[in-house]
Amino acid sequence: MIEKWIIFVIIIAAGLLAYLVKALTKSGALAAIFVGAAVMLGFNLEGLFLLGMFFVSSSIWSEYKKSVKKTMEEKLAKGATRDWRQVAANGGAAALFSLINFLQPNVIWLIAFAVSLASANSDTWASEIGSLSKKNPLFIRTFKPVERGTSGAISFLGTSAALAGALLIALFSLWLFHLHIFLAFLIFLFGFLGNVIDTLFGAFYQQLYMCSQCGIETERRIHCQKATLRIKGISYIDNDMVNFLSGFIAALLALSIVFLVV
Ligand SMILES: [Zn+2]
């Protein structure tokens, strides 16, 4: 058995490394160390392994055919270096449920933890793979085709990727935590539901800005080195907030079902 403190040292080293290779900003690295430590406390190496599955598989898909996605990144809020907001958006709910499980162990927290990761994975796979769809996606409010990379739009490829992303986390949860098959199915179902909630939020509430210089519609607040103008959406509801909320809501729904049934 590996001593726990060694794992914590590795988590800190990994955070520092991510900062040094400019994958994360300083705040992003601190947030990632916090998430890693929380998951280790709550769910040990199995939890870290599940978190790692999300991190590694999502990173692979975002590197995949990167040049094709280049033009789309102008539209999306994400930059190359992630700060604490992006880390919290994808790992914040998982860290929260880990800490609660550390204080008050219960299988419902494990399900909530796995669902929040399944949702993050489902969402990341959907956008990274879905953006490579040959056909333009359909905006769910109008069912009319829109540009690839638009929040709130769906495609067959993206939806298939979302199902696969949730399934991967559910299968690894089943294996790592020796779960009952029903619970693994819940993780899959609610992980995918998290992606659906994400799409709905994206279509109805998410902010959209327009660059006053070049006229592009974007989720970025700064474009062409100037502040962009908000043309749609609600204050504070940006992509990071949408990601966090959708995973958190899906996890709470799954948790309620387990609480009532098991
Ligand atoms: Zn511009």
Side-chain angles (χ1 to χ4, degrees), residues 211 213-216 223-224:
C211 174
Q213 302 299 109
C214 70
I216 192 178
H223 202 264
C224 297

